[in-house]
Amino acid sequence: MDAPGRIFSLGLLLVTAVLFSTLTAEARDLSSLKACEVVTGKEVAGIAKGKLMSPPLGGAQACAYLVEMPDGTVESYRFSIQAPAGIEAMWNSQTAAERGQAVAGLWDQVYVAKQFMASGLSLAAVKRNDLAIEVTGERKDVLLAIAKLAISRLR
C-alpha cells in the first residue's frame, strides 16, 4: 500500500474508533437522581414568581409543579432527567424548525420549541454520553432558569 493509502487507512481507523467509542459510551446511572430533589417546588415557584399550589408530583426522574400566579392563573411546569439517547434520537428525526431555537452555553445541545400536541414550550438539553433533561411549561424565561439551576446541580 502506498503512503496516501496508509494515511487514508489510519485516518479511517481513527474516525471509526472515535465514532465507536462515542456510540458505545454509557450514559450516567440515573437511579440515584430524583428530579424533585434536583429542582424543588419552592425553587420553581420562586423562579416563576408565584406560589406552589401543592407538593410536586413525580417519580424518580420526573417532577411536575403547579404554580399559582399573583393574577390567579395557574402555570404548570415539568422537569425530567433521562438518558441522552432518547432526546438525541428525537432531534435526529426532526427538521431544524421542529427542533426549535438553539440555546448556547448550557450543555452540548439545547433547544427550546413549542410542545408537540400540547400547549406551552419544551426545553431539551443534552450532555453528550452522560444525561439529558427536559423542562416543559408556559414561559421560556422560567424554563431557562429551571434548566440552568438543574444543570448547575447535575455537573
Side-chain angles (χ1 to χ4, degrees), residues 55-71:
L57 306 169
Q61 275 84 43
C63 196
Y65 316 87
L66 289 175
V67 180
E68 182 179 5
M69 304 311 296
D71 66 1

Side-chain angles (χ1 to χ4, degrees), residues 10-34:
L10 281 173
L12 185 60
L13 181 63
L14 179 61
V15 168
T16 303
V18 168
L19 283 174
F20 182 76
S21 67
T22 300
L23 293 173
T24 59
E26 289 190 32
R28 184 186 313 196
D29 177 13
L30 305 179
S31 63
S32 65
L33 297 175
K34 295 182 179 23

Side-chain angles (χ1 to χ4, degrees), residues 126-139:
V126 167
K127 185 175 183 185
R128 202 165 284 114
N129 297 324
D130 188 20
L131 63 107
I133 63 169
E134 185 175 16
V135 186
T136 61
E138 314 299 317
R139 293 183 282 142

Side-chain angles (χ1 to χ4, degrees), residues 19-102:
L19 283 174
F20 182 76
S21 67
T22 300
L23 293 173
T24 59
E26 289 190 32
R28 184 186 313 196
D29 177 13
L30 305 179
S31 63
S32 65
L33 297 175
K34 295 182 179 23
C36 293
E37 292 175 8
V38 173
V39 179
T40 68
K42 182 178 179 181
E43 291 167 327
V44 171
I47 290 168
K49 296 181 176 34
K51 178 181 151 192
L52 193 64
M53 292 183 64
S54 63
L57 306 169
Q61 275 84 43
C63 196
Y65 316 87
L66 289 175
V67 180
E68 182 179 5
M69 304 311 296
D71 66 1
T73 60
V74 176
E75 294 182 357
S76 65
Y77 293 93
R78 184 177 173 275
F79 168 66
S80 65
I81 305 167
Q82 54 198 286
I87 298 276
E88 290 172 329
M90 177 184 71
W91 286 339
N92 289 335
S93 72
Q94 293 176 321
T95 66
E98 290 170 329
R99 276 191 296 277
Q101 177 187 14

